[in-house]
Amino acid sequence: MYDVVVIGSGPAGYVSAIRASQLGLKTACIEKELNNEEKPLLGGTCLNVGCIPSKALLDSSHRYHDAKENLKSHGIGISKVDLDIAEMMDRKNSIVKKLTDGISGLFIGNKVQSISGEGKVISEGKVEVTYANKSTEIIETKHIIIATGSSPIEIGSAKFDKANIIDSTGALELNKVPKTLGVIGAGVIGLELGSVWARLGSKVTVIEAMDDFLPMTDKDISKETFKEFINQGLDIKLGCKLVASKKTKSGVEITYENSEGSVDMNFDKLVVAVGRSPNSYNVFEENSGINIDAKGFINVDDHCQTELNNVWAIGDVVRGPMLAHKGSEEGIVVAERIAGKHAEMNYDLVPSVIYTHPEIAWVGKNEKELTEEGIDYKIGKFPFAASGRALAVDQSTGFVKLISDAKTDTILGVHVFGPSAAEIVQQALISMEFGASSEDLGLTIFSHPTVSEALHEAALSVSNQAIHIGNRKR
Ligand code: FAD
Ligand code: NAI
């Protein structure tokens, strides 16, 4: 009999299992994917086919592009820059392996029992495991945590064929640079993986159904980033809905519709990245008392408790942003609540990052949200073009925008497009967790020269005290 059985070993599940075990709970984690040695492949989407491999390729492709295009003004001449995709993929794969093997080590070190098989909640306290040889076993446990994650959405107008029409996983594994690459969806995956292949030499066209670009970001970010991606050579077609696709000799022909009619385009490869859907099918017995919403997310309360006693659900399989750190934090909160601790998750301060170059990152509210909520606010903004460090490192595109409450000056949102945007937002987020005002950040000493000084200046700029902006009027 276990205290806790976790189903799924992604960043939500494995973190939760480790925390539960740290707290003295007898814990097992069930994972259905197998690695080459027929052991459970731990780490979920994030480590195997998500966050980590995509960031490895973003880094490699950035270095290649930089070496080819951006070193001349530094006085560095390189006569020929070669591209070895196989080597690039090997590097990515070895990082993934190191990290996934690392979780096996963490499970052993933390006494988490790793179980290889497919888990299904039968009823309160009972999980059925189906092993690779199809045999089954019922495991008994006081608590169950469902952390089964999500999968790419497949659309009827472009069904995945693992050859020419591929999902994000396929886009992380191409063995040569396609001359032309179509990407359906100008979301996070479309932009990150579209950037990877564009930097490596593909002519990338991104087709997006919505008229607005990155509608979840602040309007200034959306405007500036769109211009920058077009500048970088991504052909982004907004307001264009994919309606059909067919295989051709050399790749794929697609048809999209926009306000002017219907257009055909041909690509060597097509990546479909139109969102992900929760893996809630077949993870619990029908009539068990667990329910899903219209989009397939498992219903949970504010503390990730499902409608069935002592059964919890965390990560991509429940409401909220599909982000690794959101799932991990939910995993910790749930493990602690099971152990009788008082733990809460602050959903207002979950940061978002798009790892393009420059990065895009934000936390808290944007202008549109505050206006809709009727909250008066003040804005401070600072461009990286006025940052000494940003200029020195050749990354002066973008800005930091800080929004604070008009009455209390409490920081309500920070939106960054530029160098180290993710790290800058993280600094702002820490201050926001402690209820900081723009004045508090303004009174904080920042090292010089750092790109973070742009956050300092944006905070000062809320009260017109920024030192390095000429025009005080906003
Ligand atoms: P998952 O990571 O999906 O893990 C679920 C696990 O459960 C899987 O291993 C699966 O095999 C297993 N499983 C499913 N059903 C069963 C079952 N019945 N029995 C046993 N095991 C089961 N997020 C970020 O925060 N930052 C990023 O930079 C980022 N980059 C991304 C890049 C890409 C290309 C993609 C696709 C995603 C990215 N994400 C990123 C999103 C991130 O990967 C997910 O939010 C995160 O992995 C969700 O964690 P999870 O544990 O809920 O689910
Ligand atoms: P997404 O939701 O970010 O973007 C999908 C886009 O596709 C939307 O803009 C949508 O309007 C568009 N779309 C939908 N149907 C379409 C159609 N028929 N034709 C044209 N466009 C269409 O989803 P994405 O990029 O697949 O990513 C899935 C999730 O993975 C994200 O929600 C994100 O949370 C996570 N992720 C996070 C990353 C990060 O944190 N850096 C990186 C990659 C993924």
Side-chain angles (χ1 to χ4, degrees):
M1 171 83 151
Y2 288 99
D3 293 316
V4 179
V5 167
V6 182
I7 307 177
S9 73
Y14 87 77
V15 169
S16 195
I18 290 174
R19 186 68 191 122
S21 209
Q22 279 177 350
L23 290 162
L25 301 166
K26 189 176 173 204
T27 304
C29 181
I30 307 171
E31 172 57 56
K32 67 176 182 163
E33 294 292 326
L34 298 177
N35 66 15
N36 293 338
E37 292 133 36
E38 303 280 295
K39 291 189 183 138
L41 178 61
L42 304 176
T45 304
C46 173
L47 269 69
N48 291 287
V49 290
C51 325
I52 300 302
S54 61
K55 268 78 251 178
L57 290 185
L58 278 157
D59 184 63
S60 297
S61 59
H62 178 62
R63 284 168 194 262
Y64 171 73
H65 185 258
D66 234 16
K68 260 183 81 174
E69 309 288 339
N70 299 329
L71 297 184
K72 223 174 172 185
S73 64
H74 293 259
I76 303 168
I78 301 179
S79 51
K80 192 165 171 285
V81 182
D82 289 328
L83 180 58
D84 184 340
I85 289 280
E87 179 94 31
M88 194 179 279
M89 293 293 167
D90 279 354
R91 172 185 174 271
K92 174 207 71 171
N93 294 339
S94 70
I95 296 166
V96 167
K97 182 163 184 340
K98 196 180 238 172
L99 289 170
T100 52
D101 286 353
I103 298 179
S104 305
L106 288 173
F107 274 3
I108 293 165
N110 285 286
K111 300 195 168 56
V112 173
Q113 179 67 47
S114 185
I115 298 176
S116 184
E118 191 161 341
K120 182 173 181 179
V121 182
I122 299 300
S123 60
E124 189 185 337
K126 285 191 170 43
V127 177
E128 181 185 72
V129 184
T130 304
Y131 298 105
N133 63 9
K134 304 283 177 230
S135 66
T136 60
E137 184 188 0
I138 301 285
I139 297 181
E140 304 219 343
T141 174
K142 289 183 190 147
H143 290 265
I144 301 167
I145 303 176
I146 304 172
T148 47
S150 65
S151 303
I153 292 177
E154 185 171 53
I155 49 177
S157 49
K159 291 220 174 260
F160 299 125
D161 64 8
K162 290 198 169 183
N164 295 319
I165 303 181
I166 52 179
D167 61 9
S168 54
T169 302
L172 292 166
E173 287 166 356
L174 294 176
N175 56 15
K176 79 176 210 234
V177 181
K179 274 210 184 82
T180 53
L181 180 73
V183 178
I184 308 300
V188 195
I189 293 181
L191 293 172
E192 288 189 0
L193 296 182
S195 294
V196 164
W197 293 104
R199 291 170 194 168
L200 296 177
S202 269
K203 169 86 194 91
V204 176
T205 306
V206 185
I207 291 166
E208 167 58 49
M210 310 264 275
D211 293 325
D212 295 331
F213 182 63
L214 292 179
M216 67 291 206
T217 60
D218 187 83
K219 65 178 170 42
D220 288 347
I221 296 271
S222 151
K223 204 167 101 196
E224 288 302 312
T225 54
F226 184 73
K227 273 196 273 176
E228 175 61 21
F229 291 129
I230 298 291
N231 240 351
Q232 291 181 6
L234 289 185
D235 182 7
I236 304 174
K237 297 184 185 300
L238 299 177
C240 296
K241 195 166 186 290
L242 180 81
V243 289
S245 65
K246 65 172 188 246
K247 224 176 145 177
T248 60
K249 250 192 204 153
S250 59
V252 193
E253 182 183 283
I254 66 149
T255 307
Y256 67 79
E257 280 173 0
N258 61 18
S259 54
E260 281 152 28
S262 123
V263 180
D264 294 337
M265 281 190 89
N266 282 284
F267 300 108
D268 292 341
K269 300 274 176 197
L270 185 71
V271 179
V272 181
V274 295
R276 296 176 62 82
S277 61
N279 294 331
S280 55
Y281 175 72
N282 211 23
V283 298
F284 56 87
E285 193 73 80
E286 259 184 67
N287 306 323
S288 61
I290 300 170
N291 293 297
I292 54 174
D293 69 14
K295 290 187 167 165
F297 291 101
I298 293 180
N299 288 343
V300 286
D301 67 12
D302 289 349
H303 298 116
C304 297
Q305 165 78 56
T306 70
E307 289 152 285
L308 181 61
N309 225 7
N310 296 335
V311 179
W312 312 72
I314 56 175
D316 280 10
V317 79
V318 300
R319 83 288 176 260
M322 288 181 160
L323 296 171
H325 43 279
K326 175 261 190 186
S328 299
E329 191 55 28
E330 286 178 336
I332 288 173
V333 167
V334 166
E336 296 197 343
R337 291 186 83 88
I338 290 173
K341 288 182 174 288
H342 180 84
E344 295 285 340
M345 167 104 181
N346 183 358
Y347 284 98
D348 290 337
L349 292 183
V350 178
S352 296
V353 183
I354 306 177
Y355 292 86
T356 45
H357 187 80
E359 287 177 359
I360 303 164
W362 68 96
V363 65
K365 307 270 174 166
N366 60 39
E367 280 201 67
K368 186 165 172 260
E369 290 165 337
L370 291 169
T371 306
E372 282 167 3
E373 288 171 30
I375 298 170
D376 288 339
Y377 57 86
K378 305 179 281 186
I379 294 172
K381 211 170 156 186
F382 189 81
F384 284 107
S387 151
R389 184 64 191 275
L391 285 164
V393 298
D394 218 358
Q395 294 185 47
S396 55
T397 302
F399 56 85
V400 174
K401 177 170 175 178
L402 186 147
I403 308 179
S404 73
D405 188 285
K407 287 192 208 86
T408 64
D409 192 33
T410 306
I411 303 170
L412 301 175
V414 175
H415 309 267
V416 184
F417 172 46
S420 303
E423 313 294 337
I424 293 174
V425 158
Q426 194 61 46
Q427 297 173 41
L429 195 157
I430 294 167
S431 75
M432 289 165 81
E433 277 285 2
F434 292 97
S437 60
S438 78
E439 186 184 17
D440 291 326
L441 267 190
L443 290 168
T444 306
I445 299 173
F446 283 68
S447 310
H448 177 73
T450 53
V451 288
S452 302
E453 286 171 299
L455 174 64
H456 187 219
E457 292 270 19
L460 288 168
S461 150
V462 171
S463 48
N464 282 332
Q465 297 179 70
I467 301 296
H468 297 92
I469 318 180
N471 182 5
R472 298 250 174 276
K473 204 162 176 291
R474 271 168 298 274

